Amino acid sequence: MVDCYVVKFLQNNTKLFNVIRPSELKPIFETIDLDRPLADYDCLLEEAEVFYTKHDMAFHLFEYATRLNCPVVISAIAVKILISGINTSMDT
């Protein structure tokens, strides 16, 4: 489920970042109701997409390689999803 959103982010983002001003984000974030729990994981992921991934920087793009941070390696993302999903504990 989460992996579909990650794949969607990686495939659909063709710019380093979404040029949106804080003044444009404010009304979007004001719609969050912290007193109302979300119904299910699909709602959670949809909300995360609206408030986070839609506006996040796309560090996996080749153009980002010239920036200060290291670019994201897509295979590392896949492994992180696998590890976090299984929750392997290496200390036991």
Side-chain angles (χ1 to χ4, degrees):
M1 186 178 341
V2 173
D3 56 340
C4 295
Y5 282 87
V6 173
V7 169
K8 185 175 167 183
F9 175 81
L10 294 173
Q11 290 178 341
N12 293 340
N13 283 294
T14 58
K15 297 184 299 183
L16 289 179
F17 56 90
N18 178 356
V19 181
I20 188 166
R21 298 183 183 284
S23 60
E24 296 173 273
L25 284 173
K26 184 179 179 186
I28 298 170
F29 278 87
E30 287 176 342
T31 65
I32 298 173
D33 182 358
L34 297 176
D35 295 323
R36 182 187 53 85
L38 297 173
D40 54 29
Y41 285 116
D42 287 330
C43 291
L44 168 84
L45 293 170
E46 288 170 20
E47 188 172 279
E49 184 174 26
V50 168
F51 297 113
Y52 178 58
T53 60
K54 186 175 179 183
H55 310 290
D56 196 22
M57 291 192 71
F59 294 107
H60 65 288
L61 296 175
F62 177 75
E63 296 86 1
Y64 194 78
T66 61
R67 307 286 184 208
L68 294 174
N69 293 343
C70 297
V72 173
V73 180
I74 293 177
S75 58
I77 294 171
V79 171
K80 276 292 236 191
I81 291 171
L82 178 66
I83 291 169
S84 63
I86 296 172
N87 194 21
T88 303
S89 177
M90 301 305 282
D91 59 349
T92 58

